[in-house]
Amino acid sequence: MAKKIKHYDFTKRPGKPSAFWMWLARNFAIRPRLKGRKVTVVKKNMDGIEPPYLLFVTHASMLDFPAMYTAVAPYNANNVVAIDAVRDVGDFLMRRLGCITKRKFVKDLSLIRNMRYCAEKYGTIVCIYPEARYTLDGTTGFLPDSLGKMCKLMNVPAVVLRLYGTFISAPQWNKDEQYLPIRCELECVASKEEVKTLHADKLNRRVHAAMQRDDYAYQRAEGIELKNPRRANGLHNILYQCPHCGKEFMMYSEGTRLWCASCGKAWQVSTLSELQAEEGETEFRYIPDWTAWERENVRREVREGRYRFEADVTVHTLPNAKRFYDQGMGKLVQTCEGTRLSCTAYGEKRELFWAGTELESVHIEYDYPYRKDKYKKNLFGDCIDISTHDDSYWLHPVGLRDQLTKVSFATEEIYLLAKEKVKERGKKE
């Protein structure tokens, strides 16, 4: 069976964004997608900055893509896109829009080659979303330390696009999209001359600093009220641990209410996305403060060697941009040493292991895919997506609820700890 399946060819050169297909996309997809929303574009240090340049964009929701194209107009861009998104839209169309396909959290030299090719051959904007997945809580997610090196390899100006409002309009844990204002801040963080002369570490720090944002702080500052009566629905996916009793995976949410089924404590979510305990102390007023506390707890588990996740999972693979392949059941185990998947794929037994230093982060999806009318097959529910160079494994934990956010935090903490150990060993040698 494996020989019959054609894997995606990431070495294939991307095309220049087609004027005709981009005109269709702008008029029948991008503009309609933003209809009813006030979109503001603010440019900083952009005088004299024209394509080609490297564009780093914050990532929050599907609204990021039309917002990005609006911010860089009248120019088009060669957009780096994950293979699952190419599968959703279709490789034929994505290639005509100039998209560069990749797998999430996989180091791929062909990606850099294709990005450089677009900048040098076509003179276009090359756009990448370095967080590689949607933010969980409206703040900046995991950013790799290789962004400065990427700037040096591209040898074009480095620009950051911070998007505000795309998260609070459509957080991944709540599927009720709201029509709220969007702010696009386009900022040049390094000119071409600076890219040539500055050290990669300094460029990396500049990009990291410019990528920082907090969509909930933006919401409060702008006084944007979220009047959706179901605005708390799904919040338990990211606020999975009760700060009152400490129990995990016993949180529930519905309407404007979040509560713990273990101790009974409950909170209301205001129109400004602020939390208020129904009784007693409000441990965390702001959602990112709660998730930061959860992450700190996971960090402690990892560094004390106590962390372990184990689950039976349904396994689907995505070797190409055509469709998912059902591979039956498997077992996923994650410890402080790394992540292991045991399964059968294409009729062969597989034992896959990602050491702590190999997996920077992991892509997760709540209730994927949400559009059940569009995807009549391959309905997974909550998913963990882990990739190798030639395949992506979409894993649905069976019999467990609300584990994904903790797995995501743990993957990043395991990676950071592994990196520290490598650095310490290097100093001793």
Side-chain angles (χ1 to χ4, degrees), residues 87 369 371-379:
R87 180 259 183 187
R371 286 286 306 279
K372 301 298 189 288
D373 58 327
K374 185 177 181 182
Y375 299 92
K376 295 181 180 178
K377 294 182 179 179
N378 306 126
L379 302 183

Side-chain angles (χ1 to χ4, degrees), residues 314-353:
T314 60
V315 181
H316 292 79
T317 55
L318 185 62
N320 49 49
K322 293 180 179 179
R323 70 179 183 89
F324 288 99
Y325 294 80
D326 189 346
Q327 307 294 355
M329 296 296 297
K331 184 175 285 292
L332 181 67
V333 178
Q334 187 176 61
T335 67
C336 304
E337 284 69 47
T339 305
R340 184 179 301 278
L341 172 64
S342 304
C343 67
T344 299
Y346 314 110
E348 299 175 357
K349 286 191 175 181
R350 299 277 174 93
E351 286 287 336
L352 301 168
F353 181 72

Side-chain angles (χ1 to χ4, degrees), residues 309-313 330-334 396-398 400 403:
F309 169 83
E310 183 172 339
D312 292 327
V313 293
K331 184 175 285 292
L332 181 67
V333 178
Q334 187 176 61
H396 169 213
V398 177
L400 298 176
Q403 304 271 337

Side-chain angles (χ1 to χ4, degrees), residues 18-29 31 76 97:
S18 161
F20 170 72
W21 287 99
M22 279 306 308
W23 178 86
L24 286 178
R26 286 188 180 278
N27 285 281
F28 296 98
R31 291 191 181 99
N76 295 321
L97 297 178

Side-chain angles (χ1 to χ4, degrees), residues 106 162 178 181 342:
V106 170
R162 289 180 300 275
Q178 305 299 298
S342 304

Side-chain angles (χ1 to χ4, degrees), residues 53-97:
Y53 60 77
L54 176 59
L55 180 64
F56 297 103
V57 188
T58 58
H59 211 14
S61 76
M62 286 298 291
L63 292 169
D64 297 341
F65 304 105
M68 181 275 292
Y69 281 114
T70 301
V72 301
Y75 304 110
N76 295 321
N78 283 98
N79 202 15
V80 176
V81 179
I83 191 169
D84 52 293
V86 176
R87 180 259 183 187
D88 291 346
V89 177
D91 193 48
F92 175 87
L93 178 57
M94 287 298 224
R95 287 193 62 80
R96 277 145 189 82
L97 297 178

Side-chain angles (χ1 to χ4, degrees), residues 106-292:
V106 170
K107 293 180 175 65
D108 185 0
L109 291 177
S110 64
L111 173 65
I112 294 295
R113 282 196 291 265
N114 284 335
M115 290 170 64
R116 286 188 61 176
Y117 179 82
C118 293
E120 294 171 0
K121 177 76 173 178
Y122 307 136
T124 54
I125 299 166
V126 178
C127 170
I128 190 166
Y129 302 79
E131 292 164 287
R133 66 160 192 211
Y134 301 134
T135 172
L136 303 180
D137 61 3
T139 62
T140 304
F142 178 87
L143 293 171
D145 288 331
S146 57
L147 302 184
K149 292 179 182 177
M150 183 180 289
C151 292
K152 300 292 281 187
L153 289 168
M154 290 294 292
N155 195 32
V156 293
V159 178
V160 165
L161 174 59
R162 289 180 300 275
L163 298 175
Y164 294 95
T166 58
F167 173 78
I168 56 173
S169 296
Q172 288 307 292
W173 47 264
N174 185 307
K175 307 301 182 181
D176 293 342
E177 188 174 306
Q178 305 299 298
Y179 288 81
L180 305 175
I182 293 174
R183 179 180 174 88
C184 311
E185 292 184 353
L186 200 63
E187 178 182 6
C188 179
V189 296
S191 66
K192 185 173 181 178
E193 184 61 29
E194 288 176 312
V195 167
K196 286 182 179 179
T197 57
L198 293 178
H199 192 276
D201 288 344
K202 187 166 186 178
L203 290 170
N204 191 64
R205 288 194 295 271
R206 282 195 185 186
V207 175
H208 278 235
M211 290 285 293
Q212 300 305 310
R213 93 292 195 186
D214 182 338
D215 224 34
Y216 286 120
Y218 158 80
Q219 179 188 6
R220 294 192 300 273
E222 297 295 318
I224 300 170
E225 290 194 277
L226 188 60
K227 297 181 180 179
N228 178 14
R230 298 178 298 277
R231 56 183 172 269
N233 281 18
L235 186 55
H236 64 277
N237 283 298
I238 62 168
L239 304 186
Y240 61 85
Q241 184 175 15
C242 176
H244 183 66
C245 70
K247 289 288 180 66
E248 295 179 326
F249 319 124
M250 295 294 288
M251 300 295 293
Y252 290 83
S253 57
E254 187 176 5
T256 62
R257 192 170 186 258
L258 174 74
W259 72 94
C260 174
S262 178
C263 68
K265 183 150 187 179
W267 298 260
Q268 286 288 331
V269 181
S270 76
T271 56
L272 290 177
S273 301
E274 295 177 327
L275 299 164
Q276 178 64 52
E278 292 181 351
E279 292 183 7
E281 177 192 2
T282 298
E283 293 87 350
F284 299 106
R285 184 180 175 188
Y286 304 125
I287 290 170
D289 292 342
W290 191 322
T291 56

